[in-house]
Amino acid sequence: MHRHPRPRHQPRHARPSDAHRWWALVVIAIAQLMVVLDATIVNIALPSAQRDLHMSDANRQWVITAYTLAFGGLLLLGGRIADLAGRKRTFVIGLVGFAAASAFGGAATSSGLLFGARALQGAFAAVLAPSALSLLTTAFTDPRERGKAFGIYGALAGSGSAIGFILGGLLTEYLDWRWCLYVNVPIAVVAVLGAFALLHERPGHAGARLDVPGAVLGCGGLVAVVYGFSEAQPRGWTDALVLALFAAGAAMLAAFVWWQTRAPVPLLPLHVLRERNRAGCFLTMLLAVIGMFGLFLFMTYYLQEILGYSPLRTGLAFLPLTAAIVVGSTQISARLLHHVAPRALMVPGMLLAAGGLLLLTRLTVASRYTTEVLPALLLMGLGMGLTFMPVFATATAGVAARDAGVTSATVNTAQQVGGSIGTALLNTVAISSSTAYITAHLRAPADRARVVPEGVVHGYTVAIWWAAAVMLLAGLAAGLMVTARAPKHTAAGKAVPESVVP
């Protein structure tokens, strides 16, 4: 029988390297999933942790912001460390450190120890995330395999928030809130063993340098600003310490910008921010996430403390929000982005999200989930999905190869920093409004059982009004600053053939 030779372009199957690469993808994706879900898994456990460790309402937000601040503030430095020390080495160090910090947090006996553990988690996440993405990029060089690998990676990363809500509810309800931190230890052990067996070390770049002064100024400035927001509630906005923290934060951030123009290897090359569309995307992301993270905090407390939901039921109640984000991103934005300008998706997206928040301003102590909470979560999710996808695509479009990594990291930094500022600011607004309402309406001790829950919900709704205003600002920023045309068209206005549209 005549045997036809196999065409040269036909891939060879069952190569050991193929199997190793795809198993390596599993290891990398597990690590990324751990980092992503940790931002939401603790939200569900927060009411239980607050009661157990006797946190004040003003300080409870540090469980969230300590993680996001360290993660966002050190993310750019983490990328440089991966370049200098080698990706596999920093990947393993990040995993081990993240697991140790998680165990430390799970065993915390005071709120201060838990805040410190969360900050350590964020710092190691800032080392882990860039090295994971770099390892994935270098493991898959064939365009077809690369697309498939990034699709799997993105799907797992995108589902991290949903997994975090469900897992947080399960662990808190059937074990203890501490297991929301302990669970990272076995996950990290599996990932470390897989890393040693499957990942190949890539030597670091001898010429890479760390901008430590830039990291200290940038992260220190953000910490000062967020700390100022948290202290504004118990001390007042005009308190000397609060004003000093805001002034110190502004001075350090100004010094950070000045230093980036003079640093030999700047942490954030300022030319990345000078392009109008990119700057608009960064600002839109920052403002959008301010409102979103505040919503997570308030709705967790509203569902558990006011409506009496169990932790698991609370986690499940957030799933429509996550599903709406996925639908808005993959089924609407991804299909329309090649045909419409990015801001034609981003502006309506922010308007939808703001509309969802405005629905939540009508909450009372007797609101029903299906008629008053669910529609708002769906609108919010669709709006965020419409916005996030074009923000990432536009911010990283047309970037020089040498700036690709720092640009992607800057988008993620804007996301984490927005979450930090939003959680601290809106928590302070909510508590201040609640305190004022309770003081004004509490006439007799017998009224306390009625007035206190009403006051708490009033504080949430006032903060959500602020969040809606910030969402509208995000839409305004996108509309005025993001002037890029649809990717189908070149800058000259000529249509690009469909075959080359990415």
Side-chain angles (χ1 to χ4, degrees):
M1 181 183 294
H2 180 69
R3 302 184 64 174
H4 296 283
R6 183 177 60 194
R8 288 188 179 184
H9 65 271
Q10 184 176 339
R12 293 177 59 195
H13 298 286
R15 292 182 302 175
S17 57
D18 285 342
H20 283 161
R21 275 205 308 279
W22 290 108
W23 279 111
L25 170 62
V26 172
V27 172
I28 295 168
I30 287 173
Q32 179 65 15
L33 180 65
M34 183 175 68
V35 170
V36 173
L37 69 82
D38 217 68
T40 55
I41 191 173
V42 175
N43 263 286
I44 304 299
L46 189 51
S48 300
Q50 182 179 358
R51 288 191 297 270
D52 196 15
L53 299 181
H54 311 291
M55 298 178 210
S56 68
D57 286 344
N59 286 337
R60 68 188 179 193
Q61 51 88 16
W62 282 106
V63 177
I64 310 298
T65 52
Y67 180 80
T68 54
L69 263 180
F71 192 4
L74 298 174
L75 191 57
L76 291 166
L77 185 67
R80 298 289 191 199
I81 291 173
D83 288 339
L84 181 65
R87 277 68 181 266
K88 179 179 175 179
R89 183 179 302 170
T90 53
F91 182 78
V92 171
I93 290 171
L95 283 169
V96 172
F98 197 91
S102 299
F104 180 52
T109 55
S110 69
S111 58
L113 290 176
L114 180 58
F115 301 156
R118 291 287 287 165
L120 272 177
Q121 278 187 304
F124 282 109
V127 173
L128 179 59
S131 56
L133 194 56
S134 298
L135 286 166
L136 182 64
T137 303
T138 54
F140 292 90
T141 54
D142 178 79
R144 194 171 301 174
E145 286 188 342
R146 188 185 182 91
K148 186 177 179 181
F150 270 90
I152 296 170
Y153 179 84
L156 283 171
S159 63
S161 60
I163 295 171
F165 285 132
I166 296 171
L167 191 58
L170 284 168
L171 293 172
T172 304
E173 185 161 344
Y174 294 109
L175 291 174
D176 185 72
W177 68 266
R178 297 177 183 276
W179 279 96
C180 292
L181 294 163
Y182 287 144
V183 72
N184 292 318
V185 176
I187 296 174
V189 168
V190 170
V192 167
L193 294 175
F196 281 122
L198 298 166
L199 299 181
H200 300 291
E201 181 62 276
R202 306 274 176 173
H205 301 300
R209 299 179 64 180
L210 299 181
D211 181 15
V212 176
V216 171
L217 288 171
C219 201
L222 291 171
V223 169
V225 170
V226 171
Y227 189 36
F229 283 136
S230 69
E231 287 297 307
Q233 190 276 321
R235 295 174 178 271
W237 290 95
T238 56
D239 181 78
L241 175 63
V242 172
L243 294 176
L245 286 168
F246 286 143
M252 292 180 79
L253 291 174
F256 170 79
V257 173
W258 170 83
W259 173 250
Q260 294 309 285
T261 64
R262 288 159 176 78
V265 183
L267 199 62
L268 177 59
L270 294 184
H271 66 263
V272 170
L273 301 177
R274 292 193 185 107
E275 203 275 319
R276 178 173 180 163
N277 291 298
R278 201 168 294 128
C281 287
F282 294 152
L283 182 58
T284 301
M285 175 63 82
L286 178 79
L287 293 171
V289 176
I290 285 177
M292 187 175 179
F293 268 62
L295 175 72
F296 284 163
L297 180 68
F298 301 138
M299 291 312 299
T300 296
Y301 275 88
Y302 178 77
L303 292 171
Q304 290 192 46
E305 303 294 316
I306 303 299
L307 296 189
Y309 279 27
S310 68
L312 177 58
R313 192 178 177 190
T314 300
L316 293 173
F318 276 107
L319 288 188
L321 173 70
T322 304
I325 291 175
V326 172
V327 170
S329 179
T330 62
Q331 301 304 311
I332 302 177
S333 281
R335 294 175 185 273
L336 294 179
L337 184 60
H338 295 312
H339 306 284
V340 300
R343 66 178 171 183
L345 295 169
M346 294 159 65
V347 174
M350 288 294 89
L351 291 175
L352 276 176
L357 287 170
L358 289 175
L359 288 180
L360 291 174
T361 61
R362 303 167 59 199
L363 289 178
T364 68
V365 293
S367 293
R368 298 177 65 86
Y369 175 82
T370 52
T371 56
E372 293 170 80
V373 176
L374 180 59
L377 294 181
L378 291 174
L379 279 178
M380 180 89 171
L382 282 174
M384 286 297 185
L386 279 173
T387 304
F388 283 165
M389 194 271 179
V391 162
F392 277 102
T394 307
T396 55
V399 178
R402 69 179 185 278
D403 293 327
V406 73
T407 302
S408 298
T410 304
V411 180
N412 287 309
T413 297
Q415 192 173 5
Q416 299 297 330
V417 169
S420 304
I421 294 173
T423 304
L425 171 62
L426 296 178
N427 187 62
T428 294
V429 170
I431 297 168
S432 300
S433 301
S434 294
T435 303
Y437 182 96
I438 293 168
T439 302
H441 291 80
L442 190 60
R443 307 297 183 192
D447 296 335
R448 188 171 185 82
R450 175 183 57 84
V451 172
V452 170
E454 288 178 352
V456 169
V457 175
H458 172 77
Y460 294 163
T461 57
V462 171
I464 290 170
W465 273 107
W466 280 65
V470 175
M471 286 288 185
L472 292 175
L473 279 178
L476 185 64
L480 295 179
M481 296 179 67
V482 183
T483 57
R485 304 184 66 187
K488 184 189 288 188
H489 301 281
T490 62
K494 297 179 180 179
V496 178
E498 284 288 339
S499 59
V500 299
V501 174

